[in-house]
Amino acid sequence: LLVDEYQDTNDCQYALLQLLAGAGAAFTAVGDDDQSIYAWRGARPENIAHLHEDYPALKTVKLEQNYRCHQQILAAANTLIANNPHVVEKKLWSELTAGEGVHVICARSDEAEAEQIVQDIYLRKIRDNKKNSDFAILYRSNFQARTFEQQLRELSLPYKISGGTSFFEHSEIRDLLGYLRLINNPDDDAAFLRVVNTPKREIGAATLAKLGEYAARRHVALSVAAAEVGFAHEIGGKPYQNLQTFIQWLQTMQRDGESEPPLELLNRVINDIEYDDYLFELHKAPAKIEVRQKRISQLRAWIAKLQEERFETLDGLMQHLTLLDILDRQEQEEDAIQLMTLHSAKGLEFPVVYIAGCEEELLPHRNSMDNDDGEREERRLLYVGMTRA
């Protein structure tokens, strides 16, 4: 009987182990109490102590040589985790000596931190000829990924988010960027289909199917076909009126889009389609609505920044975003910078690791600072992150 990752077992699993092992106690348990980071789902690192109490004849074998990290990283990690109590004292060591060690950077804000890290990645790619997949950015909570996504997109660096959803994949962000795409390019059928019924405009699937058939016969885009008089004879009635209301609004926005700055157009879209009311009807729960509205505010701030620095017109901004989407699709699975939480990174390794947000209330997390057990778990979480490199 072999039990791996023993430090992450809970009370039920330990009881199950005792039943399976029986009186003979013929089993091997492999674990490291310094890597127990799942207390929030019931893991009890003290189960390692219970083993010694319940099975006094148990033989302990220390595996202290580390084959991943060089000695400078291990020295820092050992100093950190020495602040925690241990059932079995150990000290990791390595024969690897090459490496830069641990660098600590200070930043004024999360945006400044993300900018420093992404610029450092860009420099190392050029200077050291490293691949994108050589780099990992680790953080305590998924919301921290947003600032890195924006900075990585600015430099056209492909990335992949593990264990979380990309900021640009959230439905409200896709909706609003879909509107901007369609305003900029009336031939974008994918954007048309995303937004034509968001919010609901009583334009049913049957109407859109007929529109698709008509557009195919005419060899024109959906938004162009919808505006043609000939299509009125295909459906007529209220569905056609609802569609025309949307098309007329869209044509006005497309005309204005030639001169209005991107942020002003985005704000007009949000107000004209009453998107806040749509979110309320869709989600009901105030907490969910607040999260989505916060993302929209972040989108506004990002577009405002791009508008101020580089793209004064909607066409320039959308060309930039289209290029980034193409790069994402081409390289997301092949060679991409990894973004993930510290919990998701356990068991993985990377040549270069950045740990973001090492500050009170982020790491250690605010919910863990009220008791010793919480602080010890946060310390173990940082230890796990440091030993990914």
Side-chain angles (χ1 to χ4, degrees):
L1 178 61
L2 172 63
V3 184
D4 197 12
E5 301 288 358
Y6 180 77
Q7 74 280 350
D8 293 327
T9 57
N10 57 35
D11 288 339
C12 292
Q13 290 167 326
Y14 182 56
L16 178 62
L17 169 63
Q18 290 176 302
L19 292 172
L20 291 172
F27 66 88
T28 300
V30 182
D32 179 2
D33 55 345
D34 290 333
Q35 295 194 50
S36 180
I37 57 174
Y38 295 110
W40 50 274
R41 66 183 191 194
R44 293 176 62 86
E46 53 266 34
N47 282 350
I48 292 180
H50 295 332
L51 277 181
H52 290 81
E53 297 165 0
D54 298 336
Y55 302 97
L58 189 73
K59 181 181 179 181
T60 300
V61 179
K62 296 183 182 181
L63 304 176
E64 296 178 293
Q65 183 174 3
N66 186 293
Y67 297 91
R68 174 192 300 143
C69 310
H70 60 72
Q71 188 57 43
Q72 290 175 288
I73 292 176
L74 289 181
N78 286 334
T79 301
L80 167 73
I81 208 63
N83 293 281
N84 277 9
H86 293 86
V87 175
V88 179
E89 293 294 336
K90 64 183 183 302
K91 189 172 184 179
L92 299 185
W93 61 276
S94 174
E95 292 181 343
L96 304 174
T97 56
E100 296 183 38
V102 179
H103 298 273
V104 178
I105 64 171
C106 298
R108 301 182 308 276
S109 64
D110 56 342
E111 288 86 0
E113 177 187 49
E115 184 176 359
Q116 285 190 58
I117 289 175
V118 172
Q119 289 287 350
D120 190 64
I121 291 174
Y122 191 75
L123 174 64
R124 288 173 184 272
K125 276 171 54 69
I126 298 171
R127 186 188 67 197
D128 304 331
N129 196 30
K130 287 188 176 296
K131 300 182 296 182
N132 293 310
S133 55
D134 288 336
F135 301 94
I137 303 174
L138 312 182
Y139 36 78
R140 178 63 175 82
S141 303
N142 279 314
F143 77 88
Q144 293 172 259
R146 176 187 59 84
T147 52
F148 291 101
E149 287 191 78
Q150 294 173 352
Q151 290 294 331
L152 290 166
R153 284 176 173 247
E154 278 296 285
L155 293 180
S156 300
L157 293 173
Y159 63 89
K160 179 183 179 185
I161 292 185
S162 301
T165 303
S166 166
F167 175 77
F168 296 93
E169 290 300 316
H170 288 287
S171 60
E172 60 274 11
I173 304 302
R174 291 172 63 88
D175 288 344
L176 296 177
L177 288 181
Y179 271 101
L180 293 184
R181 283 169 49 196
L182 186 60
I183 290 169
N184 184 64
N185 178 15
D187 294 336
D188 192 334
D189 284 347
F192 179 89
L193 291 172
R194 178 161 193 99
V195 307
V196 66
N197 238 359
T198 304
K200 296 293 184 185
R201 297 186 173 90
E202 297 184 9
I203 301 170
T207 300
L208 293 177
K210 291 180 180 178
L211 176 61
E213 294 170 0
Y214 178 83
R217 292 198 307 269
R218 295 277 297 132
H219 302 289
V220 295
L222 294 174
S223 65
V224 175
E228 291 188 355
V229 177
F231 183 59
H233 302 298
E234 299 277 333
I235 54 171
K238 188 169 184 181
Y240 180 74
Q241 294 174 4
N242 293 337
L243 192 55
Q244 288 310 297
T245 299
F246 172 68
I247 292 299
Q248 289 166 10
W249 173 84
L250 179 61
Q251 290 173 337
T252 299
M253 294 296 290
Q254 287 169 342
R255 286 193 298 270
D256 295 345
E258 296 176 2
S259 57
E260 285 189 19
L263 182 60
E264 186 172 332
L265 289 167
L266 174 64
N267 289 331
R268 280 183 60 185
V269 167
I270 294 170
N271 293 330
D272 288 357
I273 67 174
E274 299 178 339
Y275 198 73
D276 287 340
D277 293 341
Y278 167 71
L279 290 178
F280 181 81
E281 290 296 322
L282 190 65
H283 299 289
K284 307 296 184 186
K288 290 184 178 181
I289 296 169
E290 183 180 354
V291 168
R292 283 156 177 79
Q293 288 177 329
K294 183 177 180 180
R295 290 196 198 107
I296 293 172
S297 296
Q298 292 167 345
L299 176 66
R300 280 174 160 141
W302 184 59
I303 288 180
K305 183 172 180 287
L306 289 177
Q307 178 178 303
E308 180 181 353
E309 294 178 353
R310 297 168 62 186
F311 304 105
E312 296 181 357
T313 66
L314 179 62
D315 186 57
L317 175 66
M318 299 317 296
Q319 286 187 35
H320 178 64
L321 296 182
T322 300
L323 174 61
L324 296 181
D325 286 340
I326 292 171
L327 290 172
D328 279 350
R329 288 194 293 270
Q330 288 177 342
E331 302 188 54
Q332 186 176 22
E333 298 296 332
E334 298 172 6
D335 180 30
I337 296 161
Q338 303 296 304
L339 275 65
M340 65 185 71
T341 64
L342 288 158
H343 287 97
S344 298
K346 191 175 176 203
L348 303 178
E349 59 183 71
F350 307 92
V352 184
V353 171
Y354 302 88
I355 303 177
C358 293
E359 58 186 86
E360 288 192 2
E361 297 194 353
L362 277 180
L363 183 63
H365 194 274
R366 65 174 66 89
N367 295 339
S368 304
M369 297 173 63
D370 295 335
N371 58 79
D372 290 341
D373 287 342
E375 286 192 2
R376 289 166 184 166
E377 174 120 344
E378 294 295 291
R379 202 173 283 128
R380 291 193 293 269
L381 190 56
L382 180 56
Y383 175 82
V384 166
M386 292 176 68
T387 52
R388 298 310 93 197

